[in-house]
Amino acid sequence: MTSTTGIGAAVRRKEDKRFLIGKGKYLDDLNRRGQAYACFVRSPHPHAEIRSIDTAAAKAAPGVVGVFTGEDLAAGGVGGLICGWVITQKNGEPHNAPPHPVLATGKVRYVGDPVAVVIADSLDQAKDAAEQVSVDYETLDPVTNIARALEPGAPALHEEAPGNLCFDWDIGDKAATDAAFEQADHVVKLDLVNNRLVPNPIEPRAALGEYDSASGEFTLHTTSQNPHVARLVLSAFIQIAPEHKLRVIAPDVGGGFGAKIYIYGEETACLWAAKQLNRPVKWTADRSEAFIADTHARDHVTHAELALDRDGTFLGLRASTKANLGAYLQVFSTATPTYLYGCLLAGQYRTPAVYCEVTGGFTNTCPVDAYRGAGRPEATFVVERLVEIAAREMNIDPVEIRRRNFVKPDQFPYETPVIMTYDSGDFDQLMDKGLALIDRDGFAARKAESESRGKLRGLGFSCFIEACGLAPSAAVGALGGGVGQWESAQIRFNPTGSVTLYTGSHSHGQGHETSFAQVVSDHLGVPIENVEVVHGDTGVVPFGMGTYGSRSMPVGGAAIVTAANKIIEKGKKIAAHLMEAALDDIEYQPGTFSVAGTDKSVSMAEVAFAAYVPHNYPEDLEPGLDENGFYDPLNFTFPSGTHIAEVEIDPDTGVVDLVDWVAVDDFGTIINPMIVEGQVHGGIAQGVGQAMLEGCVYDDETGQLLTGSYLDYCMPRADNLPSFKLDATDIPCPHNPLGVKGCGEAGAIASPAALMNAVVNALGVDIDMPATPEKVWKAAQAARG
């Protein structure tokens, strides 16, 4: 449908008004009569045995209504937190899976590990009493560095994981890859660190647990990206309550970036305690808690090599990665550094042989799991840094060496050596548009001008491809994924013609209330202002998998189309009845049913009204106009793009000025260009943060987090970023009813490699992320001397 509000229209976000006028409903805005407040007692030690926990003084403190430890929860039948993926190791055995208790029992394994929860009439009372909980610890030596953790004799975290090993995994044909290296004319070698990050969504995690003693029903309000999955985990695995007695509601959520996918101990403890106390229990993390207790991200140490012939053709790539998993496993901990990483190491290129091995290990640090991009930024960084070094060492233009190896449009579908089958794309076109926008022909003059002022100038490329949607469900299950990857939607017409869309996806900043309404408007001809989108409440919406992995539009949007098509088919039957025509003669254009060859027609609104009025619909038809749709994708979708960064460096201070940025992406069909641009902007900002500013650091000796606040952990700001130049190629996904590919993570996937390649191009020497002024200054001085 061609309109100002349908697919392709830059509609302003419907949901923004309530946020801008302060009417958003975030979890900390929610309060219940008689609620109590929780404060968690956390370990100050990275590694210690718990000899005893004395809660007597805390229980006697003013306002305290309950103090609980891990032993109390275990005695109450509460299970542990889970990992959602079983990874098969090289030896055919499943990964080592130590228990992850809601509250630590017997031992603490990182600074911030919760050992008890204090609940009181007020938050201040809970905090005061928490300081009176006395824990007798016997400290043990910690290990925070993944390489050290995997060495013989390292401090052991779990009996269930000898040598701190979680898994030793690989993918690809090792023999074929080794053979490719044996015949290579040139081999590029690279050692790199993908630095640890703290996710830092603007809204900290929070929970409000309630229990109704009359019905035996629990309600958990929580900052979740996927409330139905949270309910499933809490019921089936942690065993808080039967699923039909548990309702999970995620209201307005202020960002997630992956860190709010998982079930944590805090919301579990609040929900369980609500029944014990017969009172609502509320907890909101402060920023210091978020730094030590939200899942961290990345933290890879990798050795990678690229084999080429004398013409710069890629023959093989191999990577050996050590992945720091932190102290415990979370939902995607095992999948992120394996299948979501190793399977993307082919990049945009026709590399015939790829082999990747990953060793995942435990350390005395906060658990590590998925963060915007989840494995794909790490893979892109390896590939694009190797390609850039190969161009430099072989004296081949970095654009030319990429063009020589791109998968070409007539080669799709293209099966990579690491299980993926790319379905569509035009990587040369992405590069062409990017070069024009960055004015590559004028770069030499800009570089010379910078040099005249004593500055260094560099240009960096990043050509990425990612896999979105986690598909199909059967294949995900075969790879160890615990749940299907389909999505649901329900479209309900009211008699007056307005629509309520219930979606199993969840919006926490992505703009679903607008873009999903556009899909409904486009297919059913309903004015967008008459479409209400409901999400985030397991008591209202059909079971769905939530939002992560850029899946909402490719999978959730496709489920909307499935439901809309059912609405149209039923509408045709009602229209035929109303117009006394044969069903086969009914034609449909968005919003209108007509009889072929005549001027007779009825609107969708008229059909919706008729569906609720007896005798206005066929006798063999049920009343109402309300349909469910499920969509299980046949394949991943594969967004791709070329990002180009241009930097100017002051060698006397090490300050990097990011002067220009071009991003040309292929997201397939674009539903709302304005929302897509916003997603790309945000992703680039996060990737620039990792590459230039952010770095989560633990002290190797003490195990203490050294970057536990914004005083020590530097976040990107507006003045760190240029105005981005964006473009797109929009090649539709061939197996998706909307043709969409997903856009939410692309900026974060491409940007670290683009920025670091630009910095290295300017300096002439390799450095690791983050490219802080100190690190850049040292490299510049070394290059000079």
Side-chain angles (χ1 to χ4, degrees):
M1 174 176 138
T2 302
S3 75
T4 58
T5 61
I7 291 174
V11 180
R12 289 189 176 183
R13 297 191 350 158
K14 297 172 63 176
E15 52 268 65
D16 283 352
K17 179 179 178 180
R18 70 174 185 270
F19 300 138
L20 291 172
I21 65 175
K23 297 296 185 180
K25 283 287 187 180
Y26 295 97
L27 203 145
D28 199 49
D29 297 321
L30 302 178
N31 293 290
R32 293 291 183 264
R33 184 188 299 273
Q35 75 185 19
Y37 296 81
C39 178
F40 287 87
V41 179
R42 299 182 183 277
S43 171
H45 305 292
H47 200 192
E49 293 183 357
I50 301 173
R51 288 176 170 173
S52 64
I53 303 177
D54 185 352
T55 61
K59 288 179 177 178
V64 171
V65 296
V67 181
F68 303 104
T69 66
E71 292 183 357
D72 295 323
L73 271 73
V78 177
L81 308 180
I82 70 162
C83 175
W85 285 69
V86 178
I87 296 301
T88 302
Q89 301 188 69
K90 291 178 183 178
N91 61 10
E93 296 294 322
H95 72 267
N96 296 322
H100 185 179
V102 171
L103 299 175
T105 56
K107 196 176 187 182
V108 293
R109 295 176 174 86
Y110 67 99
V111 173
D113 206 351
V115 298
V117 59
V118 177
I119 302 168
D121 291 329
S122 73
L123 179 58
D124 287 341
Q125 289 173 327
K127 289 182 175 180
D128 289 343
E131 294 182 359
Q132 299 183 54
V133 175
S134 177
V135 184
D136 184 9
Y137 294 104
E138 181 178 349
T139 60
L140 303 170
D141 290 336
V143 58
T144 62
N145 178 283
I146 183 59
R148 283 186 52 226
L150 295 172
E151 293 175 354
L157 272 74
H158 301 278
E159 291 182 4
E160 298 83 357
N164 296 320
L165 179 69
C166 178
F167 57 78
D168 184 13
W169 173 91
D170 67 350
I171 193 167
D173 188 330
K174 186 177 187 303
T177 306
D178 288 345
F181 275 83
E182 289 176 4
Q183 64 182 7
D185 295 304
H186 188 83
V187 174
V188 174
K189 298 182 179 181
L190 173 66
D191 290 290
L192 60 85
V193 173
N194 204 294
N195 44 318
R196 178 181 279 243
L197 303 175
V198 178
N200 279 304
I202 193 169
E203 179 200 24
R205 288 189 296 116
L208 174 59
E210 298 180 81
Y211 177 70
D212 184 337
S213 58
S215 64
E217 295 178 351
F218 290 81
T219 300
L220 174 65
H221 299 263
T222 183
T223 49
S224 175
Q225 297 178 215
N226 42 3
H228 272 106
V229 175
R231 184 181 70 165
L232 175 64
V233 172
L234 284 164
S235 60
F237 299 96
I238 302 177
Q239 299 183 334
I240 289 289
E243 197 168 6
H244 69 290
K245 292 291 187 180
L246 174 57
R247 181 180 182 182
V248 176
I249 302 172
D252 289 329
V253 175
F257 310 128
K260 293 178 182 174
I261 293 174
Y262 328 111
I263 284 293
Y264 291 82
E266 291 88 354
E267 55 259 42
T268 304
C270 287
L271 188 59
W272 178 81
K275 179 180 180 181
Q276 311 309 307
L277 303 174
N278 200 26
R279 291 180 63 174
V281 177
K282 182 177 181 179
W283 168 78
T284 301
D286 59 32
R287 188 57 65 181
S288 294
E289 279 187 293
F291 267 94
I292 62 173
D294 288 3
T295 54
H296 291 177
R298 314 295 194 237
D299 206 344
H300 285 192
V301 178
T302 297
H303 175 78
E305 300 180 355
L306 179 65
L308 307 92
D309 69 12
R310 62 175 51 86
D311 297 320
T313 301
F314 302 165
L315 304 177
L317 183 150
R318 56 191 177 197
S320 179
T321 295
K322 293 181 174 65
N324 190 339
L325 305 178
Y328 303 100
L329 296 179
Q330 270 286 11
V331 173
F332 288 120
S333 292
T334 53
T336 299
T338 54
Y339 289 109
L340 300 182
Y341 163 67
C343 296
L344 273 300
L345 285 173
Q348 294 187 3
Y349 309 110
R350 302 184 312 275
T351 310
V354 177
Y355 176 73
C356 173
E357 57 183 357
V358 181
T359 306
F362 296 104
T363 64
N364 295 115
T365 63
C366 184
V368 175
D369 208 324
Y371 171 69
R372 198 171 191 171
R376 287 98 80 201
E378 296 93 314
T380 298
F381 194 71
V382 169
V383 173
E384 290 303 292
R385 289 289 293 117
L386 281 171
V387 172
E388 201 78 6
I389 295 171
R392 184 179 71 214
E393 291 184 356
M394 298 186 71
N395 198 28
I396 302 174
D397 180 85
V399 173
E400 176 58 27
I401 198 170
R402 287 176 167 87
R403 289 195 190 278
R404 292 180 190 180
N405 292 282
F406 279 155
V407 178
K408 301 302 180 181
D410 61 359
Q411 294 175 313
F412 291 102
Y414 180 81
E415 187 171 349
T416 76
V418 277
I419 78 172
M420 292 296 180
T421 301
Y422 301 160
D423 54 29
S424 59
D426 188 337
F427 306 144
D428 281 296
Q429 185 182 0
L430 293 168
M431 180 65 80
D432 290 341
K433 288 190 171 187
L435 293 175
L437 284 173
I438 202 72
D439 182 22
R440 208 241 181 148
D441 291 342
F443 176 72
R446 297 194 298 274
K447 183 178 178 69
E449 192 278 331
S450 293
E451 290 174 347
S452 72
R453 293 182 285 108
K455 304 293 180 65
L456 307 174
R457 202 172 191 97
L459 201 63
F461 299 86
S462 177
C463 298
F464 81 95
I465 189 165
E466 59 164 321
C468 296
L470 292 178
S473 291
V476 171
L479 297 178
V483 291
Q485 297 302 319
W486 45 264
E487 195 48 86
S488 66
Q490 179 184 4
I491 297 176
R492 178 182 298 168
F493 268 88
N494 300 307
T496 54
S498 61
V499 170
T500 304
L501 166 65
Y502 301 91
T503 173
S505 299
H506 184 270
S507 180
H508 40 277
Q510 294 88 349
H512 294 167
E513 292 177 36
T514 303
S515 56
F516 282 3
Q518 287 180 256
V519 173
V520 172
S521 177
D522 198 89
H523 281 73
L524 300 180
V526 180
I528 192 171
E529 62 270 18
N530 292 344
V531 180
E532 180 185 9
V533 178
V534 178
H535 61 90
D537 185 345
T538 66
V540 176
V541 303
F543 192 103
M545 301 309 299
T547 294
Y548 52 87
S550 302
R551 70 187 301 274
S552 292
M553 194 57 76
V555 188
I560 296 170
V561 174
T562 301
N565 288 338
K566 292 181 179 180
I567 291 283
I568 293 166
E569 290 306 308
K570 184 172 183 178
K572 286 181 177 180
K573 295 176 182 178
I574 297 172
H577 181 79
L578 290 173
M579 294 185 287
E580 299 179 338
L583 178 60
D584 290 343
D585 291 336
I586 300 298
E587 297 178 342
Y588 177 76
Q589 292 294 323
T592 303
F593 298 90
S594 60
V595 180
T598 76
D599 59 357
K600 297 174 68 175
S601 68
V602 293
S603 68
M604 179 64 80
E606 291 174 296
V607 166
F609 184 77
Y612 290 93
V613 179
H615 310 301
N616 279 11
Y617 52 84
E619 292 182 358
D620 61 346
L621 217 59
E622 293 180 350
L625 199 56
D626 184 345
E627 297 289 347
N628 293 314
F630 290 84
Y631 181 75
D632 191 353
L634 298 175
N635 191 7
F636 290 87
T637 60
F638 295 97
S640 58
T642 290
H643 286 221
I644 308 173
E646 187 167 336
V647 301
E648 186 177 73
I649 297 174
D650 185 340
D652 294 327
T653 65
V655 172
V656 177
D657 183 12
L658 181 51
V659 297
D660 204 358
W661 193 286
V662 164
V664 184
D665 295 295
D666 174 12
F667 297 137
T669 302
I670 290 179
I671 306 299
N672 186 315
M674 182 177 66
I675 289 177
V676 168
E677 287 184 6
Q679 288 292 306
V680 175
H681 287 184
I684 294 172
Q686 285 184 277
V688 169
Q690 175 176 15
M692 197 162 69
L693 303 165
E694 299 179 53
C696 178
V697 180
Y698 283 88
D699 185 277
D700 285 340
E701 299 300 321
T702 66
Q704 296 293 322
L705 180 63
L706 300 180
T707 52
S709 76
Y710 292 136
L711 292 174
D712 303 296
Y713 188 96
C714 188
M715 298 285 286
R717 300 185 181 189
D719 61 356
N720 296 125
L721 305 168
S723 292
F724 305 122
K725 299 173 183 175
L726 306 186
D727 201 352
T729 58
D730 304 345
I731 298 172
C733 171
H735 60 80
N736 181 295
L738 284 169
V740 298
K741 296 182 179 180
C743 69
E745 297 167 293
I749 291 169
S751 50
L755 181 55
M756 291 306 296
N757 280 338
V759 170
V760 169
N761 179 251
L763 291 172
V765 293
D766 294 317
I767 62 172
D768 274 324
M769 297 187 290
T772 60
E774 178 185 13
K775 193 181 296 183
V776 171
W777 179 83
K778 288 180 178 178
Q781 303 315 304
R784 279 177 171 177

